[in-house]
């Protein structure tokens, strides 16, 4: 697994089924970003039919699919492929859905890393962690009228205190890890993970792509991968920093070729990744660009091919 992310960023639902075209239309035309809803009340029969029709969609609840389409313009197949590309250098696996309950204590003073996008609790080398936001969101989606970090911790059955922006876990490591592991299939927890993932990384990435006139799944996915690995904004290594050095071309292929070149120069520095994992991480995306797989549709074989490299 890539054990490494920036101090700003990291190393390293679900939701109730929405039925009826009027509801879907409302979601897709909402003026503000949609929030995922819990999916525990789904119809197993209809979900089985949907899974057979589109195996990619089977990795998301219908509400999550609507949320992602409405806010990013990408469908379940595209997001499934993005998550596979993200999870290879994070967990050395394409089976990303197994990591909602993932938790590991880091050894580089960044606290614990949690879930499918590697939320951290923070430490000396991670002064602005997103783990606190995740626990607060968990309290919120679970129905708290006044959501708080402490409320989310209590719902997870864990204990910790805030020291400035850092969430200091007071449980022993075995207890904390096992409690987070136990949330793997908790629909509210998955809801909170996707909502936090969107707020911290996806939203900014989509904005940066669209303001440049780019809408492809490959570009959005590339930006999301950079943001969660190196931070969304902040220092020169963050997504914001790399974008600032990638030129101003309006041609998406030209811009992204330069973006990948600039990211490659730093992706194995500053504890973002263990060399040469970072360069291979970027190569996944750049190879897909060269091969014309920009929409990440009908790209199953291509994704498998570019992720067939050995983690160090």
């Amino acid at each position: 697994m890539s054990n490494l992310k920036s101090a700003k960023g990291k190393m390293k639902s679900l939701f109730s089924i929405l039925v009826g075209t009027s509801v879907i239309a409302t979601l897709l035309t909402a003026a503000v970003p949609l929030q995922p809803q819990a999916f525990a009340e789904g119809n197993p029969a209809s979900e089985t039919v949907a899974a057979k029709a589109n195996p990619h969609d089977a990795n998301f609840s219908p509400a999550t699919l609507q949320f992602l389409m409405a806010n990013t313009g990408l469908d379940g197949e595209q997001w499934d492929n993005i998550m596979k590309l993200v999870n290879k250098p994070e967990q050395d696996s394409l089976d990303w859905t197994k990591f909602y309950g993932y938790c590991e204590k880091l050894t580089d003073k960044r606290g614990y890393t949690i879930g499918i996008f590697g939320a951290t609790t923070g430490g000396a080398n991670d002064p602005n962690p997103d783990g606190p936001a995740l626990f607060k969101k968990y309290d919120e989606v679970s129905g708290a009228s006044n959501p708080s970090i402490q409320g989310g911790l209590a719902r997870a059955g864990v204990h910790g205190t805030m020291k400035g922006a850092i969430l200091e876990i007071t449980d022993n490591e075995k207890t904390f890890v096992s409690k987070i592991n136990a949330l793997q299939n908790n629909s509210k927890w998955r809801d909170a993970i996707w909502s936090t993932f969107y707020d911290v990384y996806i939203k900014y990435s989509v904005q940066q792509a669209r303001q440049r006139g780019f809408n492809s799944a490959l570009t959005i996915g590339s930006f999301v991968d950079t943001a969660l690995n190196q931070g969304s904004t902040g220092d020169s290594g963050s997504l914001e920093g790399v974008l600032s050095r990638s030129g101003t071309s309006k041609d998406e292929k030209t811009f992204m070729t330069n973006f990948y070149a600039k990211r490659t120069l730093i992706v194995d520095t500053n504890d973002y990744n263990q060399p040469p994992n970072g360069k291979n991480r970027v190569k996944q995306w750049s190879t897909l660009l060269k091969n014309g797989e920009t929409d990440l549709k009908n790209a199953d074989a291509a994704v498998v091919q570019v992720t067939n490299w050995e983690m160090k």
Side-chain angles (χ1 to χ4, degrees), residues 79-145:
W79 271 106
D80 189 27
N81 283 326
I82 287 172
M83 292 306 297
K84 288 177 180 178
L85 291 161
V86 167
N87 208 59
K88 166 62 184 186
E90 291 291 315
Q91 304 288 358
D92 200 16
S93 170
L94 301 189
D95 199 356
W96 62 271
T97 63
K98 290 183 176 180
F99 295 92
Y100 282 103
Y102 162 73
C103 183
E104 181 180 357
K105 188 173 184 179
L106 301 171
T107 60
D108 56 358
K109 298 181 180 180
R110 291 184 296 116
Y112 289 86
T113 180
I114 301 167
I116 62 172
F117 67 90
T120 54
T121 55
N125 290 333
D126 189 0
N128 297 289
D130 48 11
L134 174 58
F135 283 104
K136 184 176 181 179
K137 182 63 68 173
Y138 182 40
D139 197 28
E140 177 185 327
V141 301
S142 297
S145 57

Side-chain angles (χ1 to χ4, degrees), residues 19-37:
V19 295
T21 56
S22 63
V23 175
I24 293 174
T26 300
L27 285 173
L28 295 176
T29 57
V32 296
L34 302 172
Q35 294 300 315
Q37 302 296 318

Side-chain angles (χ1 to χ4, degrees), residues 18-253:
L18 299 177
V19 295
T21 56
S22 63
V23 175
I24 293 174
T26 300
L27 285 173
L28 295 176
T29 57
V32 296
L34 302 172
Q35 294 300 315
Q37 302 296 318
F39 75 112
E41 298 177 359
N43 183 324
S46 63
E47 289 177 356
T48 299
V49 172
K52 290 181 178 179
N54 188 333
H56 294 280
D57 286 0
N59 288 320
F60 308 86
S61 76
T64 306
L65 293 174
Q66 291 299 327
F67 169 75
L68 291 171
M69 174 60 78
N71 289 290
T72 71
L74 305 181
D75 64 18
E77 180 177 4
Q78 292 166 310
W79 271 106
D80 189 27
N81 283 326
I82 287 172
M83 292 306 297
K84 288 177 180 178
L85 291 161
V86 167
N87 208 59
K88 166 62 184 186
E90 291 291 315
Q91 304 288 358
D92 200 16
S93 170
L94 301 189
D95 199 356
W96 62 271
T97 63
K98 290 183 176 180
F99 295 92
Y100 282 103
Y102 162 73
C103 183
E104 181 180 357
K105 188 173 184 179
L106 301 171
T107 60
D108 56 358
K109 298 181 180 180
R110 291 184 296 116
Y112 289 86
T113 180
I114 301 167
I116 62 172
F117 67 90
T120 54
T121 55
N125 290 333
D126 189 0
N128 297 289
D130 48 11
L134 174 58
F135 283 104
K136 184 176 181 179
K137 182 63 68 173
Y138 182 40
D139 197 28
E140 177 185 327
V141 301
S142 297
S145 57
N146 185 25
S148 66
I149 297 167
Q150 286 299 325
L153 290 171
R155 291 181 188 277
V158 297
H159 304 84
T161 58
M162 292 299 297
K163 299 291 181 66
I166 306 303
L167 174 56
E168 188 173 283
I169 301 302
T170 55
D171 291 319
N172 64 56
E173 180 179 351
K174 182 178 180 180
T175 296
F176 184 72
V177 170
S178 66
K179 290 289 187 179
I180 300 301
N181 290 165
L183 296 172
Q184 167 67 23
N185 296 315
N186 183 304
S187 62
K188 299 296 186 182
W189 177 250
R190 291 186 173 204
D191 182 347
I193 282 183
W194 272 106
S195 186
T196 307
F197 190 9
Y198 176 79
D199 289 344
V200 179
Y201 300 113
I202 298 174
K203 182 178 180 180
Y204 180 78
S205 298
V206 171
Q207 289 174 341
Q208 292 304 304
R210 287 179 175 170
Q211 74 179 32
R212 290 169 171 79
F214 307 149
N215 296 291
S216 77
L218 191 68
T219 292
I220 290 173
S222 297
F223 288 0
V224 169
D225 184 62
T226 306
L228 71 86
N229 180 217
Q230 299 165 217
S232 293
T233 61
D235 61 24
S236 63
S238 68
L239 172 60
E240 179 184 36
V242 179
L243 287 170
S244 72
R245 301 190 299 279
S246 298
T248 58
S249 177
K250 300 299 182 183
D251 178 77
E252 190 166 9
K253 184 173 183 179

Side-chain angles (χ1 to χ4, degrees), residues 270-281:
N270 298 319
D271 287 347
Y272 296 139
N273 297 276
Q274 176 177 310
N277 295 337
K279 287 183 173 61
N280 286 323
R281 181 175 197 146

